Amino acid sequence: MPAKGYSWSDAPRLAAPDPAPGLPRWEALAIDAVGNVIEFWGFKHNQGRVWAVLYLRGTSMTATQLEEELGLSKGAVSMLVRDLERWGVVVRIRQPGTGAWHFRAETDLVQMVRRVIQERETAFITRIRADLEEARRLAAASGVGRERLARLEKLAALAVGAERALRIFLRTARVDLSTLLVALGEGKLRSRT
Amino acid sequence: MPAKGYSWSDAPRLAAPDPAPGLPRWEALAIDAVGNVIEFWGFKHNQGRVWAVLYLRGTSMTATQLEEELGLSKGAVSMLVRDLERWGVVVRIRQPGTGAWHFRAETDLVQMVRRVIQERETAFITRIRADLEEARRLAAASGVGRERLARLEKLAALAVGAERALRIFLRTARVDLSTLLVALGEGKLRSRT
DNA sequence: GCGGAAGTTCAAGGAGCCTTGAACCCCTTG
DNA sequence: CAAGGGGTTCAAGGCTCCTTGAACTTCCGC
């Protein structure tokens, strides 16, 4: 349900399919699809793309490889993998023989997204509810007419309802996706690293 | 679940409570709360604020009043009410005796949000699914290794799952909020216009 | 019809987020 | 221990979306 840079009025424009120079089209398509989804949920487009290449390849990759494959700058890759690492969806390993780090995708991207969403959304709606309740209190204290008070209360009720709907969604999403997560996990990366 | 200008990393910062000069604090609080919610769902913060004042006041207001109360420019108000009108959550009425339009809030903001979300999200996820399927087709055609194909298929499965979860959410949200909508409606605006 | 207030449109300006690129640091290897 | 690739950081720039402000149009009332 969210949206970021996803406008209601005109064309929905998803990120251009071009920016991946040397990638086979199918891979670029899949990678960008993940990027779009991730962006949709409030993360950065390129965080999704990085995870996606790593996941699709199955092997581990160096920062330099990521730069080349995705057409990103050195600095960008550094920051992106740092985030992904922090969230535990990518691990960093030191390859013997080479002086470079290698990165590998964990399969729990979805879990991570759900967790973050949950925290974020819950905090948000809680805040809204608090504000509306505060408003109601202040309004009541300053002797606002009963009609207006009634309206305020209805708004507050809406917030409560929204919170419940959200909770239900997160629960069903968990149940619903957990089956898929199992599936994702069982092909368990036999990464030829 | 969406987010717009709602970052994961640092402080969640909601819009500053200041920009409403002459409004009593409770009103400003409530109005901004609505603004934040609406923005969260991908609309403009000020679209929410405009609807909110109109709703809370119960009376109809002129564009000039809206400008003053919310601290917006003439042009902004014009465009904002135009959008709200188009969505049917605000109606424009001509007041006899005055040469100015008056605006009044309809109570179906929530319905409107749900409808727009539904269209938008559905289109989005459908597009993602299509892309992933296309990717899979192309990959299969160009003889990609079975391991990679398997990963791609898992991604596609995820998209399908997400779509289902979304549909469930929209349904529960409708059921869940319809009760509230009834409540909202029955205090039916006795607008002293 | 005219005068003028109300409303609309749109180019220019502003704000926020993301990425780049270069300076800096670290750490391995020879 | 010196050399140099790899990684990190961060200020500057780019981009996108939103708002402003002013020219332009519309419409009411006299």
Side-chain angles (χ1 to χ4, degrees), chain A residues 24 26, chain B residues 135 138-149 152:
Chain A
W26 71 268
Chain B
L138 288 175
S142 57
V144 169
R146 69 173 52 223
E147 261 213 18
R148 281 192 194 175
L149 250 177
L152 240 188

Side-chain angles (χ1 to χ4, degrees), chain A residues 36-148:
Chain A
N36 285 326
V37 171
I38 232 58
E39 180 177 16
F40 184 77
W41 294 106
F43 301 87
K44 294 186 198 169
H45 187 83
N46 281 330
Q47 288 168 345
R49 293 182 71 228
V50 169
W51 180 86
V53 228
L54 290 173
Y55 176 72
L56 283 176
R57 299 272 169 112
T59 78
S60 66
M61 296 173 71
T62 66
T64 314
Q65 282 177 298
L66 288 171
E67 282 170 45
E68 291 166 354
E69 299 288 38
L70 301 176
L72 298 172
S73 71
K74 201 157 74 124
V77 170
S78 174
M79 294 187 299
L80 293 172
V81 294
R82 170 218 269 279
D83 293 333
L84 295 171
E85 221 185 324
R86 184 147 38 97
W87 296 324
V89 292
V90 153
V91 294
R92 172 189 303 241
I93 46 193
R94 180 69 83 175
Q95 210 70 348
T98 87
W101 289 106
H102 282 232
F103 302 95
R104 196 164 54 73
E106 291 292 343
T107 49
D108 50 8
L109 211 224
V110 181
Q111 295 248 32
M112 175 283 235
V113 170
R114 218 186 47 84
R115 181 168 16 96
V116 174
I117 299 302
Q118 173 145 0
E119 287 166 17
R120 193 205 287 158
E121 287 1 27
T122 302
F124 179 80
I125 206 165
T126 299
R127 171 67 194 281
I128 296 295
R129 246 200 11 198
D131 280 358
L132 286 174
E133 269 157 26
E134 164 92 356
R136 197 177 47 69
R137 193 164 38 248
L138 289 175
S142 56
V144 169
R146 68 172 51 223
E147 258 212 21
R148 280 191 195 177

